[in-house]
C-alpha cells in the first residue's frame, strides 16, 4: 500500500458568508424552519442531493454561486437573521435557569447506543435513537445540563432496498464524517484527542467526535484510526451489526470508553443516564475509577455511584435484550473485575437474575438495574410490566412497590411539526406557544383555530406527502429496472382526496405489520370502494437477521403490486427521519397494532397526533394514556390470548369493522362547504390532549425533577467529605446484611376499636364494620441492630381467594418500647377500615436509613410468618 497523507479541504466561503459555516455546524437548524429555508435557497437541488446536509452542501456548491450569494443583500440579511437567532438562542435564559437553583446544578451524562438527530447523521436505527435525539433537543431548549455519549459508526444502520420479489436487501454506506456537521475533539496542540480502552491482550484507541445540538454537546467515540488493528478499527463499523463478540466490544467502548472520554475532556458527571442496557458497563467503570481514586472498597464505591446512576429500560422482547455468555464475559472481563475488588462469582452475579446460576448468561439490563438508584419504564403500562418482569430482583417486595417508576416518552415538537401547522399554532396559541409546550392551558386555544384553516393546512401536508411518495416510488421502480410504461403508473398512485392511513415502524413480529392483510378480500373492498375509498402507505425496516420481519415486508409488497389495489397501497423503501417527517404530517390516520403488552411506548403516533392526525391502535404502550374516545380509536380490548392466530383474527376483524363503520363514514361525512367538521373536531381534541402531555419537554422536566436533580444532589452529598457518608452507609448496609438472618417478627397483637368498645380481634370471626380502627403492636427481634435502623410497617389491602394481599399499602408503625428479651422491641401502629370486603393486614420490616435511594435498595424485606 502507498503511504497516504491525509488532509481536510474546507469550503472557501467569502468573508460575508463565514457565518454559514457556524450555522451549519450546530444542529439547532434541524428544528428551525428559517435555517432550512436558508440552506435550500443556496441551491435547492444540491440541498436535496446532499441529503439535507448543510456541511456537504457548502462543500459542493460552486464558488460562482457563493460569490453571487455574497453580493445578494436579501440572502445576506437572511443569513444575519439566522446567525443572530442562533446567538440569541444560545445566550437566552432557560426554563432550567428559572426553576432549578444554580448551586445544585448537576452534570448529566446521557449514554445511548444510537442518536436520531437528523437524516444527514445516519447513526440511528429506530425508535430508541429517535427518542435519544429528541431527548437532547429538548434538553437544549430547556437548558438542562446534559452531555450526550455514543458511538460514531463508520456505516451507521443499513440502507434498505427491495428486490423484484419484495425481499429486503441491505446496503451499508460509509459515513463521510468530514462532510457532516461533526468536529473532531482536539488537544491544545491541535492533535485529535484519543482515549485508550483495554481489550484482551491489547489497548484500543478511540478518537472523539463532537456534535453541537443547540446548547448540548454530543460526543461519539470512533476506533477507525490508524494505530488500531484492522479488527479493532471495525468496532465502530456499524450499528447493531456483526456477532455477539462485536456487540460486547461496542458496549465496552460505549460504557467504559464513554466515561473515560468525558473525564479526558474534563467533564466529571454527577449523574449518568443509561438509555437502555447497552451502556451498562459504564456503571462498572464508574465504580472502578472511584474505588481507585478514593481508596474505597467495591461496596463503598457502589453505594456512591449507584446514587448518581439512572437507567431507562425499553424493550421487554427477549431478542432485544442484550446478554452475553459466560465465556465472553470471562474473555473480556477476566482481567477487569479484579480491579473492582470482587471475585468472579460476585462479578457475574451482578448481571444475573439468579446470582448463583452458573449457566445463566450475563444480562445488561440486570447489571444496569443492580447498579442504578433511579429506574424507569417509558409508559405507564410499560412501567407496570417492567415491575412484573424484573420484580424478582427485589425478593419479597410486592409488585406495585418494585422501585421502577414510569416516565412516559414524548417527542420534540418542533422537529416533527409541519411548518404550516407551526404557523397556525403561532397565530392562534400565541407567539410563545413553543415555550409553554407542556402547559395544558396553552392548548385550550386549539379550539380557536377555524375549521377551514386547520383542514386547509392538513390538506397541504397531505398533498406534499403524495408528491413525495410518488417521487420515491418512481426512484424505487427505476432502480428495479421497470419499463417506461410501468414508471408512468407511479404518477397515478395515491389521491390526496382519499382517506389515507399510515403504518411505519420497525418490522418485528410483535408489531404485526401485515395484520391488515389478514382478510385480503375485505381489505380490497375497502381500498376500491367507488364512493369512499381508502389508501395505505407502509414503510419500515426489518433487522437484517430477522427473516420473519422480512417475510412480513414481502407479504405487503406482493399484495401492493396486485393490479386491483396497486393505486391504493404502497410500501416506501429505506424508512428514515425524512420519510417519517412526511408521513406523520400528511396521513389522516396513524395505524399501530402491536401485540399487547409488548410495545414499550411508541412515539410515532405522538408525532402524528400533534399534526392533527388521528390514531388507531391496540391498547398498548403510550396509547393507554393517549387515547380519548373523542380523539381516536382502540383496536380490540385489554384481553390477552393464548392462541396467537385466533388473537390476530379477532383484532384484524376489529380493524376492518372500525374502518367500515366509524373511520370511513366519519371522514367522508361533509358539511355543505365540503368540510368533514366532525372529523376536524376529533383532530382538535387529539391535539389538545396529546400535545401538552406527550412531548420531550414534559418528559425532560419530569426526568429533571424526579431523577436528575435528586440523583445529582444525592451523589454530591454521599461523595462529600472524603466519601465519608458513602463509606458510612456502605458499612451500615454490611451490618444490616450480617444481622438480617436473625431478624424475626415474634408476636403480633391486634385490637379493634369500632368507636364504642376496644377489644382484641377474634381470629375465628374477624368481622369489622367500615370505620373500625385496627390497633396493632408487634414484637420484633433485631439483635444488635438499633430500632431506628429499620422501618416496621403494617401492610394492608384487599385479599384474593388465596388470602394474599393485592394492591396493598404500607402504614408506618412507630417505636413503642424495649421488650423484656434483649434485642427485641415493640412497635405500634393503627389504621382505619375504609372499604367493605375481604381484607388482610400483615407486619413487615425493612432496613431504613436516611441515605438510602429507596427502601428496597438492599433487597431485604421481612414479613411476619403465619
Amino acid at each position: 500500500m502507498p503511504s497516504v497523507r491525509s488532509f481536510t479541504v474546507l469550503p472557501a466561503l467569502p468573508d460575508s458568508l463565514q457565518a454559514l459555516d457556524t450555522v451549519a455546524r450546530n444542529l439547532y437548524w434541524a428544528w428551525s424552519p428559517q435555517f432550512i429555508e436558508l440552506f435550500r435557497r443556496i441551491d435547492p437541488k444540491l440541498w436535496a442531493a446532499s441529503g439535507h446536509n448543510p456541511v456537504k452542501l457548502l462543500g459542493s456548491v460552486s464558488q460562482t454561486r457563493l460569490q453571487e450569494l455574497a453580493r445578494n443583500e436579501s440572502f445576506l440579511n437572511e443569513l444575519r437573521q439566522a446567525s443572530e437567532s442562533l446567538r440569541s438562542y444560545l445566550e437566552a435564559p432557560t426554563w432550567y435557569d428559572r426553576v432549578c437553583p444554580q448551586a445544585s446544578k448537576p452534570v448529566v451524562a446521557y449514554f445511548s447506543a444510537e442518536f436520531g438527530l437528523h437524516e444527514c447523521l445516519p447513526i440511528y436505527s429506530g425508535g430508541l435513537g429517535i427518542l435519544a435525539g429528541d431527548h437532547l433537543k429538548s434538553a437544549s431548549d430547556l437548558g438542562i445540563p446534559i452531555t450526550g455519549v455514543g458511538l460514531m459508526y463508520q456505516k451507521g444502520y443499513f440502507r434498505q432496498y427491495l428486490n423484484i420479489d419484495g425481499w429486503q436487501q441491505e446496503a451499508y454506506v460509509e459515513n463521510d464524517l468530514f462532510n457532516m456537521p461533526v468536529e473532531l475533539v482536539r488537544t491544545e496542540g491541535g492533535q485529535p484527542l484519543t482515549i485508550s480502552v483495554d481489550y484482551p491482550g491489547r489497548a484500543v484507541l478511540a478518537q472523539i467526535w463532537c456534535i453541537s445540538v443547540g446548547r448540548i454537546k454530543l460526543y461519539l467515540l470512533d476506533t477507525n484510526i490508524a494505530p488500531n488493528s484492522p479488527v479493532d478499527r471495525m468496532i465502530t463499523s456499524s450499528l447493531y451489526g456483526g456477532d455477539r463478540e462485536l456487540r460486547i466490544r461496542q458496549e465496552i467502548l460505549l460504557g467504559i470508553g464513554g466515561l473515560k472520554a468525558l473525564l479526558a475532556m474534563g467533564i466529571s458527571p454527577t449523574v449518568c443516564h443509561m438509555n437502555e442496557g447497552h451502556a451498562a458497563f459504564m456503571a462498572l467503570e464508574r465504580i472502578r475509577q472511584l474505588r481507585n481514586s478514593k481508596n474505597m472498597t467495591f461496596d463503598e464505591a457502589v453505594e456512591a455511584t449507584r446514587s448518581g446512576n439512572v437507567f431507562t429500560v425499553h424493550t421487554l422482547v427477549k431478542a432485544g435484550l442484550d446478554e452475553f455468555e459466560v465465556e465472553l464475559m470471562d474473555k473480556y472481563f477476566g482481567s477487569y473485575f479484579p480491579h473492582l475488588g470482587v471475585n468472579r462469582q460476585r462479578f457475574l452475579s451482578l448481571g444475573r437474575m439468579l446470582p448463583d446460576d452458573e449457566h445463566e448468561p450475563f444480562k445488561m439490563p440486570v447489571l444496569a438495574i443492580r447498579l442504578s438508584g433511579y429506574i424507569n419504564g417509558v409508559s405507564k403500562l410499560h412501567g407496570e410490566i417492567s415491575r412484573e418482569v424484573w420484580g424478582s430482583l427485589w425478593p419479597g417486595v410486592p409488585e406495585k412497590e418494585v422501585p421502577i417508576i414510569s416516565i412516559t416518552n414524548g417527542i420534540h415538537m418542533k422537529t416533527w411539526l409541519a411548518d404550516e401547522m407551526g404557523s397556525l399554532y403561532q397565530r392562534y396559541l400565541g407567539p410563545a406557544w413553543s415555550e409553554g409546550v407542556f402547559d395544558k392551558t396553552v392548548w385550550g386555544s386549539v379550539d380557536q383555530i377555524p375549521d377551514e384553516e386547520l383542514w386547509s393546512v392538513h390538506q397541504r401536508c397531505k398533498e406534499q406527502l403524495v408528491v413525495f411518495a410518488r417521487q420515491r416510488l418512481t426512484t424505487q421502480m427505476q432502480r428495479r429496472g421497470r419499463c417506461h410504461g410501468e414508471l408512468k403508473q407511479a404518477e397515478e398512485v395515491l389521491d390526496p382526496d382519499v382517506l389515507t392511513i399510515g403504518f411505519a415502524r420497525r418490522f418485528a413480529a410483535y408489531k404485526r405489520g401485515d395484520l391488515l392483510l389478514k382478510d385480503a378480500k375485505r381489505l380490497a373492498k375497502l381500498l376500491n370502494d367507488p364512493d369512499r375509498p381508502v389508501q395505505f402507505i407502509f414503510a419500515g425496516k426489518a433487522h437484517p437477521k430477522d427473516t420473519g420481519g422480512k417475510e412480513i415486508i414481502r407479504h405487503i409488497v406482493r399484495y401492493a403490486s396486485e393490479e386491483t389495489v396497486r393505486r391504493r397501497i404502497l410500501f416506501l423503501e429505506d424508512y428514515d427521519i425524512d420519510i417519517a417527517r412526511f408521513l406523520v404530517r400528511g396521513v389522516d390516520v396513524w395505524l399501530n397494532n402491536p401485540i399487547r403488552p409488548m410495545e414499550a411506548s411508541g412515539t410515532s403516533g405522538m408525532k402524528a397526533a400533534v399534526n392533527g392526525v388521528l390514531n388507531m391502535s391496540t391498547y398498548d404502550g403510550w396509547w393507554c394514556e393517549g387515547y380519548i374516545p373523542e380523539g381516536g380509536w382502540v383496536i380490540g380490548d385489554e384481553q390477552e390470548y393464548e392462541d396467537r392466530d385466533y388473537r390476530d383474527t379477532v383484532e384484524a376483524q376489529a380493524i376492518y369493522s372500525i374502518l367500515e363503520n366509524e373511520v370511513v363514514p366519519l371522514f367522508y361525512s361533509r358539511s355543505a362547504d365540503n368540510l368533514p367538521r366532525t372529523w376536524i373536531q376529533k383532530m382538535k381534541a387529539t391535539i389538545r390532549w396529546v400535545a401538552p402531555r406527550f412531548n420531550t419537554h414534559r418528559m425532560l422536566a419530569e426526568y429533571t425533577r424526579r431523577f436528575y436533580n435528586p440523583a445529582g444532589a444525592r451523589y454530591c452529598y454521599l461523595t462529600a467529605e472524603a466519601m465519608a457518608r458513602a463509606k458510612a452507609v456502605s458499612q451500615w448496609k454490611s451490618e444490616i446484611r450480617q444481622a438480617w438472618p436473625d431478624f424475626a417478627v415474634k408476636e403480633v397483637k391486634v385490637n379493634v376499636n369500632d368507636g364504642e368498645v376496644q377489644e382484641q380481634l377474634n381470629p375465628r370471626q374477624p368481622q369489622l364494620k367500615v370505620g373500625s380502627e385496627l390497633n396493632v403492636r408487634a414484637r420484633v427481634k433485631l439483635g444488635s441492630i438499633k430500632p431506628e435502623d429499620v422501618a416496621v410497617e403494617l401492610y394492608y389491602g384487599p385479599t384474593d381467594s388465596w388470602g394474599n394481599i393485592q394492591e396493598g399499602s404500607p402504614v408506618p408503625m412507630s417505636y413503642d418500647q424495649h421488650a423484656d428479651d434483649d434485642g427485641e422491641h415493640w412497635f405500634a401502629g393503627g389504621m382505619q377500615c375504609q372499604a367493605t370486603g375481604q381484607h388482610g393486614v400483615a407486619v413487615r420490616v425493612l432496613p431504613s436509613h436516611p441515605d438510602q435511594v429507596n427502601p428496597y435498595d438492599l433487597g431485604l424485606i421481612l414479613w411476619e410468618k403465619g
Side-chain angles (χ1 to χ4, degrees), residues 150-152 154 177-178 182-186 191-197 204-210 219-228 233 236 253 257-258 261 265:
L151 301 181
M152 177 58 87
Q154 297 161 33
L177 302 184
F178 292 94
V182 304
E183 306 222 23
L184 268 176
V185 177
R186 298 182 181 273
Q191 294 301 308
L193 176 66
T194 61
I195 55 106
S196 175
V197 179
V204 175
L205 297 180
Q207 62 186 2
I208 307 163
W209 295 89
C210 176
Y219 296 103
L220 304 171
L221 277 68
D222 171 19
T223 63
N224 186 22
I225 53 178
N228 291 330
R233 293 181 72 159
T236 51
L253 182 66
M265 292 182 289

Side-chain angles (χ1 to χ4, degrees), residues 667-681:
F667 179 83
Y668 285 105
S669 176
R670 305 298 168 105
S671 58
D673 52 5
N674 198 34
L675 287 177
R677 291 195 179 271
T678 307
W679 185 277
I680 293 169
Q681 292 312 304

Side-chain angles (χ1 to χ4, degrees), residues 551-811:
E551 283 287 0
I552 293 172
I553 292 174
R554 179 160 65 175
H555 187 194
I556 294 168
V557 173
R558 282 180 167 181
Y559 181 80
S561 65
E562 293 180 10
E563 182 62 28
T564 55
V565 299
R566 63 169 183 77
R567 291 184 62 238
R568 295 284 185 239
I569 188 166
L570 138 86
F571 188 97
L572 295 178
E573 295 179 9
D574 204 26
Y575 184 47
D576 66 357
I577 289 175
D578 194 29
I579 293 178
R581 196 182 291 120
F582 278 95
L583 283 172
V584 299
R585 296 170 178 179
V587 297
D588 298 302
V589 175
W590 194 259
L591 177 64
N592 186 34
N593 43 240
I595 298 171
R596 176 187 165 93
M598 300 180 75
E599 184 87 288
S601 176
T603 57
S604 58
M606 304 173 190
K607 301 176 180 94
V610 300
N611 283 288
V613 174
L614 305 184
N615 274 263
M616 178 176 169
S617 175
T618 47
Y619 204 60
D620 196 13
W622 82 282
W623 194 231
C624 298
E625 302 157 69
Y627 168 70
I628 51 173
E630 62 271 26
W633 297 273
V634 170
I635 300 166
D637 51 30
E638 299 178 44
Q639 184 174 345
E640 295 181 21
Y641 299 85
E642 292 185 10
D643 186 325
R644 174 169 179 172
D645 286 338
Y646 177 68
R647 177 196 58 225
D648 288 354
T649 299
V650 168
E651 295 187 349
Q653 295 300 319
I655 292 175
Y656 302 135
S657 295
I658 294 170
L659 290 173
E660 292 164 348
N661 301 317
E662 298 183 46
V663 179
V664 172
L666 189 68
F667 179 83
Y668 285 105
S669 176
R670 305 298 168 105
S671 58
D673 52 5
N674 198 34
L675 287 177
R677 291 195 179 271
T678 307
W679 185 277
I680 293 169
Q681 292 312 304
K682 287 181 85 75
M683 291 173 66
K684 291 181 179 179
T686 203
I687 292 169
R688 193 170 55 246
W689 178 259
V690 171
R693 292 171 173 82
F694 300 96
N695 62 77
T696 41
H697 279 33
R698 185 276 310 155
M699 183 186 84
L700 262 294
E702 205 169 340
Y703 272 116
T704 298
R705 288 174 172 139
R706 302 179 73 178
F707 281 2
Y708 295 159
N709 284 352
R714 184 175 292 275
Y715 179 82
C716 292
Y717 171 80
L718 288 178
T719 57
E721 300 174 8
M723 305 286 165
R725 295 188 185 93
K727 292 180 177 181
V729 75
S730 175
Q731 177 63 31
W732 172 81
K733 285 187 174 183
S734 177
E735 292 171 359
I736 291 289
R737 286 192 189 97
Q738 290 177 3
W740 195 260
D742 297 327
F743 279 27
V745 179
K746 304 290 286 186
E747 181 182 3
V748 176
K749 296 180 179 179
V750 182
N751 289 325
V752 180
N753 186 343
D754 63 5
E756 298 177 5
V757 63
Q758 179 167 314
E759 58 184 356
Q760 190 168 354
L761 180 68
N762 186 341
R764 295 184 179 179
Q765 292 182 315
Q767 294 180 336
L768 310 176
K769 295 179 181 178
V770 170
S772 297
E773 186 173 303
L774 290 179
N775 295 310
V776 181
R777 296 184 77 234
R779 181 165 57 92
V780 181
K781 179 184 177 184
L782 299 178
S784 61
I785 299 299
K786 299 187 292 247
E788 56 265 34
D789 287 333
V790 298
V792 181
E793 299 174 338
L794 298 176
Y795 189 72
Y796 167 79
T799 57
D800 60 19
S801 58
W802 297 91
N804 299 314
I805 296 174
Q806 302 293 311
E807 297 296 317
S809 300
V811 179

Side-chain angles (χ1 to χ4, degrees), residues 394 396-402 795 805 808 844 856 861 863:
W394 293 269
V397 174
E399 193 173 287
K400 70 175 269 190
E401 295 183 69
V402 167
Y795 189 72
I805 296 174
R844 68 182 191 180
Y856 314 108
I861 185 168
W863 295 88

Side-chain angles (χ1 to χ4, degrees), residues 39 96 146 257 274 447 452 545 672 743 855:
F39 298 135
Y96 192 87
I146 289 179
M274 294 166 277
D447 289 330
E452 297 83 354
K545 296 180 181 177
F743 279 27

